[in-house]
Amino acid sequence: MTGDDADIEIGIDIGGTFTDIVCRRRGEPDTIFKLPTTRTDPGQAVLQAIEQLAPDYPPQAIKRFVHGTTVATNAVLERKGAKTGLLTTEGFKDVLEIGRQIRHTLYDVILEPETPVFLAPGARRIEIPERLDASGHVLTPLDEQAVLDAAENLAADGVEAIAICFLFAFLNPTHERRARELISQNHPDISISLSSDVDPAFREYERTVATTFDAYIKPIVDGYLDRLEDNLRKAGVPAPLQVMQSRGGAAGAPVVRRRPVRMFLSGPAAGVIGGQAAGEAVGSTELITVDIGGTTSDIALIQGGSPVLRAEGIVDGYPIRVPMVDVNPVGAGGGSIAWIDEADGLRVGPQSAGSEPGPACYGQGGENATVTDASVVLGYLDPDNFAGGTLSLDPDAARQVIETRVAKPLGLALEEAALGIHRVVNAQMAEGIRLVSIQKGFDPREFSLVGLGGAGPLHAAALAEELGITRILVPRYPGVLSAAGLLAAPVEHEMSASFARALDGLDISDVRSVLDMLDARAGELMREDGVAPDAFAAQHAADICFIGQSYHLEVPLDLAADSPLETLRQAFHALHDRIYGYSAGTPARIVNLRTVLRAGGESEPADVPTANEGGAATASRTVLFSNAPVETAVYARDTLPAEARITGPAIVEQADTTTLVPPGWSAVNGAGSTLILTPSPLEQSQ
């Protein structure tokens, strides 16, 4: 095969249990499948996928290879990062330990540290005589001998990475860069992270945390990407390795290595981008994505066709100031365990049965009632056709465990207990949706709900009813949408710089000068990724707050507007009013300026062939949507022709998920074979 028809794109997302693969070739339907994640070396699952695809998709024809991975997050969760040291300005070595003195558990008898001291304990934090003032001017020159001595001591202690975070280095990085140069000359094997590269913004604690996390995971990420790139070359893959970043864009592996702290939300961000692409296929730009797996539900909001971002993410409970897609994880999924609290109240999660032993209905020794067990009892899942028939469920085990663990203790009938489990878990997920919508000033009723993951389409209608949402989208392959989202992601590079200036009296030329510098730096990264200068576009933003205010908001900055700064001011006031409910008349100031360059992201899924005939129900079974059982038609999604219309109650089954269409809802098989669910009558949504 030669020419464009042979060009192949592959997206591979590695999760904790499964590795999802989407392979795309122009003019053909996507090839999708899952492989068990290889825990010891997750990259091995990537090679297994290429080997499995090779007979039909030769490695040498792969033109784009995009990868989402949890390797950075796992290094933190499992405390398997590099042994790290921290160099700080004299007098500031305990910033990492002091933090903001904010405690989230005020009444615990035994207080645990809420700052990530494990990254660099006190013995590995060393002060260096040097000092800049608040304008970036040198007050005390860098003591180079002190840097050399610190590096020797840390190297003797077996340190593999060093974070350097000097005071006001975001205004003048000279001292940090010289320290790196000195250390690299004498200890080239030690990885180094500079705060002026990782997080060039004010607030000492946040900058120190981001830089130290970057150093902690850098050798791990380096080794992982080195092995993966080497194996891809040996497999004959010519495409450069691209890696998904936390804010929803991909970048080449060499660039990602420099700031690996931006990889933390790689997988969940890809799922949101996949939801965005699914919405675009049917003309929807206002979306709420709900990715429901076995343990958690990842919830995000897409406004105007772009995911809502946040300036600070949370990993293992620690805030890290890195731009991320605003994903709200809720400890509720198919494997979440139902239990009775001390007040005889029904609770669900956050504990999960996981994949081993899994829900009781898996027949692997599970002894706790889970959401999946309740779904079997209610008739939502077909025990003989679960996961495309690859796994048979035990309905008797599901009934027994819910009867024993939930129904009898609460004095309920079996079916009432199963319905109660679903109602509780749906209420928890609905609250998670409110956190990314209502709490941020968005009305969820103005959005479409996108059901993702293995259980998203099963719960979507109940969530929509709870929140007043009247449109649900179920993509063709919701179970592997994170992998599909990798192929829809643009190549993206972001640069920011501190710019502490009041808006009043500000000259726009000063703003343009800084943004031109940021554009040039981000453009260098684009060229390094092989993107032509005319193939990417720039977007600018400013972090703004009222003078005297502690925290800022990111506001788009349009340099082409007639009055860019006045337009920026008005946009800030409107955003502040939407989020906080008021807008003060006090002067505002810019804190940081930011530029984002994007290229591509237009990869479209191939047209999914639909049946010319068929669409009739393949079976029926009794299902409980409420207290009364209802005879419900069952459809096979693969047999639905284009524009097929289904009136609830109905169930649509496919290998990677089950879609529930309750009474009062209807569904149409829309563009890209996306199921569109709306309240009956269907004509209201057309």
Side-chain angles (χ1 to χ4, degrees), residues 105-160:
T105 53
L106 296 176
Y107 303 107
D108 284 0
V109 176
I110 299 176
L111 299 179
E112 297 291 337
E114 291 196 17
T115 55
V117 182
F118 72 92
L119 295 172
R124 299 204 301 269
R125 301 196 300 264
I126 300 177
E127 299 177 349
I128 302 296
E130 69 84 40
R131 189 65 179 261
L132 305 178
D133 66 15
S135 299
H137 299 124
V138 177
L139 292 178
T140 303
L142 175 68
D143 187 334
E144 297 190 356
Q145 189 58 48
V147 174
L148 293 171
D149 292 344
E152 288 294 334
N153 292 335
L154 291 172
D157 193 26
V159 161
E160 305 163 90

Side-chain angles (χ1 to χ4, degrees), residues 569-646:
R569 186 198 311 273
Q570 294 175 7
F572 166 67
H573 282 277
L575 181 61
H576 199 282
D577 182 67
R578 194 197 78 208
I579 293 178
Y580 297 114
Y582 75 97
S583 182
T586 56
R589 69 185 181 101
I590 295 177
V591 179
N592 304 302
L593 291 174
R594 179 172 294 104
T595 187
V596 179
L597 301 188
R598 291 190 180 91
E602 295 88 9
S603 176
E604 295 290 342
D607 290 335
V608 180
T610 53
N612 294 322
E613 299 178 356
T618 57
S620 68
R621 61 175 178 263
T622 302
V623 175
L624 272 80
F625 294 95
S626 59
N627 294 328
V630 179
E631 193 65 21
T632 301
V634 179
Y635 297 82
R637 189 162 183 181
D638 289 341
T639 68
L640 294 178
E643 301 301 322
R645 296 170 183 265
I646 298 171

